[in-house]
Amino acid sequence: MAKSYTKAQIRKITSRFGLIPLKSSLVSSLYRKNAVIQVKTKKGTYALKPFSRTKMVRSNTIQQMEQAASMIRLLKKRKYSYMPAWLPTHSGKLWTLHQGTPFYMSQWIKGRGLENAEDFEKLGWALATLHATSTGLYRIGRGKSPTSQQLKIWKKQDRLFQKKIKKISRHDTKYRNWYNTHGKDCQRLSRRAWKDLQDTSIVKLFQKENRSHALIHSDITIPNVMISDNGQLKIIDWDRVKVGSVYADLAKALMNTTQFNPEFVQSLLKGYQKRKPLSPTERKMVTALYTLPREAWHASLHPNRSRDREILDNWGHSWPLRLQIIHILQEWSMYKRK
């Protein structure tokens, strides 16, 4: 059940950031009710956000909040301009604790969503700038690369999907019809991607990637990218910022924002490579990661949820477009830059 907040609670939390609310309202996101609180003050409008932990990481909520805040401080120090400004509390911290829940406050971005090729080129540049931001940290020893760690998680999800979808299909007509139509397609895409990811050049890339840290946003989606009223692109919702795989971050951004539009895909990649050129092996990596049918994996986790069932409907409608984008990316991965 989504948690609500009283005016008194909002005032108390906001005051720790040196602000007095004149008006506040609860705003829901695509996935969560009351995900953020819009607070209007004499100094401007801000987003007061309760931080929610990710269950994919073993650390607790406070530890995850501290990690995110440290990454935000680093990006601020590196003058990364594509995120809303975070406000410090009276003590100088970027977050505060209220009744066991961490809260942070950031600039409220007023504007519009992604609409045209120019917007997606800006997004590509902003994402590449993030991935190219120096953390000043380097890996020591023989730890696994961020991408190989991500692949380990995705392989488990793929194996779980293969088991669950057959079981669900026995007693759920919708899933059975979907599986009969697209089940083999998913298996074929997975086999192709896993085979490409075993290429010797990609294995060597894992070794190279392991030598240094890179920051990723982890949740580049349509609702999380705004074009402000002054034309600047801003990426919001930095709860999941961490050291991770830039290739997975790029592949997920392509899947979650471009709506299988070839022009938008090409524009995002154009903007990205203007800032951070990718080698043929890196492009092959991104293509393989994009090819993995991750939406189908997620749809099988909670078959009773309406949103997961909608994913199946969208899969059928988008299948021809999906194949088109994969073909475009395969051509892109083989293109030799002059």
Side-chain angles (χ1 to χ4, degrees):
M1 182 176 179
K3 187 174 181 179
S4 188
Y5 305 94
T6 65
K7 298 293 183 181
Q9 288 176 320
I10 294 171
R11 175 177 288 272
K12 183 176 181 179
I13 300 170
T14 301
S15 67
R16 298 176 189 174
F17 294 89
L19 297 172
I20 300 175
L22 301 176
K23 183 179 180 182
S24 61
S25 56
L26 298 172
V27 180
S28 298
S29 69
L30 187 62
Y31 305 105
R32 187 179 300 118
K33 190 175 182 180
N34 302 340
V36 64
I37 306 164
Q38 185 188 62
V39 181
K40 295 183 178 181
T41 73
K42 289 183 178 180
K43 295 182 178 180
T45 303
Y46 299 90
L48 176 62
K49 193 171 188 301
F51 181 87
S52 59
R53 69 180 292 268
T54 174
K55 296 179 181 179
M56 298 295 291
V57 181
R58 292 181 180 178
S59 56
N60 60 41
T61 304
I62 303 301
Q63 291 170 329
Q64 290 185 24
M65 179 72 258
E66 289 177 337
Q67 179 185 359
S70 68
M71 299 301 177
I72 294 300
R73 286 192 180 279
L74 176 60
L75 288 171
K76 183 178 179 180
K77 183 178 180 181
R78 298 288 190 267
K79 301 186 185 304
Y80 184 75
S81 62
Y82 300 100
M83 65 178 183
W86 282 40
L87 277 63
T89 64
H90 289 304
S91 65
K93 293 178 64 175
L94 291 179
W95 60 281
T96 187
L97 196 64
H98 179 74
Q99 295 183 349
T101 299
F103 285 81
Y104 66 87
M105 261 189 119
S106 63
Q107 174 190 12
W108 184 273
I109 304 300
K110 183 181 177 182
R112 60 175 176 81
L114 298 165
E115 293 180 351
N116 52 54
E118 182 182 357
D119 294 341
F120 281 91
E121 189 169 337
K122 288 181 179 180
L123 174 57
W125 180 279
L127 189 57
T129 302
L130 171 65
H131 293 167
T133 299
S134 172
T135 63
L137 303 172
Y138 297 91
R139 292 182 180 271
I140 300 175
R142 297 183 178 182
K144 292 184 178 180
S145 73
T147 303
S148 62
Q149 290 178 331
Q150 180 63 71
L151 289 179
K152 185 178 180 180
I153 295 172
W154 284 349
K155 282 182 180 178
K156 288 182 179 179
Q157 291 177 350
D158 192 4
R159 288 194 293 267
L160 181 61
F161 164 75
Q162 300 297 341
K163 293 180 180 180
K164 289 197 68 172
I165 193 66
K166 293 180 181 179
K167 183 177 180 181
I168 297 169
S169 297
R170 296 191 190 109
H171 55 80
D172 190 304
T173 303
K174 185 180 182 69
Y175 274 78
R176 181 167 59 251
N177 292 338
W178 180 90
Y179 181 70
N180 290 338
T181 305
H182 295 292
K184 291 184 179 179
D185 293 331
C186 285
Q187 294 173 355
R188 180 167 55 84
L189 290 179
S190 292
R191 284 196 300 268
R192 179 196 301 178
W194 294 129
K195 181 180 179 181
D196 288 344
L197 289 166
Q198 292 175 350
D199 187 272
T200 304
S201 61
I202 287 182
V203 174
K204 290 181 178 178
L205 185 59
F206 288 154
Q207 297 170 352
K208 180 180 179 181
E209 181 189 33
N210 190 41
R211 297 171 190 164
S212 62
H213 291 269
L215 291 181
I216 64 171
H217 180 276
S218 303
D219 194 23
I220 302 291
T221 58
I222 290 176
N224 285 343
V225 184
M226 298 288 295
I227 305 297
S228 66
D229 287 343
N230 61 6
Q232 291 185 322
L233 182 139
K234 295 290 184 181
I235 301 172
I236 62 175
D237 197 357
W238 287 80
D239 294 36
R240 305 290 176 256
V241 60
K242 63 179 181 179
V243 171
S245 168
V246 298
Y247 309 113
D249 209 33
L250 175 55
K252 288 165 65 177
L254 287 166
M255 178 64 71
N256 296 337
T257 64
T258 60
Q259 304 174 73
F260 304 108
N261 183 314
E263 183 182 19
F264 293 168
V265 168
Q266 291 167 336
S267 295
L268 195 158
L269 292 172
K270 178 181 178 182
Y272 190 96
Q273 291 193 111
K274 278 185 177 180
R275 177 64 179 82
K276 189 176 184 291
L278 297 173
S279 68
T281 300
E282 290 176 309
R283 296 198 297 270
K284 185 174 182 179
M285 172 97 79
V286 173
T287 299
L289 295 176
Y290 181 94
T291 301
L292 290 170
R294 293 181 297 104
E295 310 98 298
W297 302 346
H298 292 306
S300 67
L301 293 177
H302 306 285
N304 294 324
R305 291 199 315 200
S306 59
R307 175 161 181 78
D308 286 358
R309 299 176 78 86
E310 288 174 6
I311 292 177
L312 299 186
D313 293 331
N314 293 334
W315 180 282
H317 298 321
S318 66
W319 175 244
L321 298 174
R322 180 185 300 269
L323 292 181
Q324 181 183 11
I325 299 303
I326 291 175
H327 179 70
I328 289 173
L329 290 176
Q330 288 174 335
E331 291 189 333
W332 168 71
S333 68
M334 295 184 290
Y335 174 73
K336 293 183 179 181
R337 296 173 64 90
K338 298 181 179 179

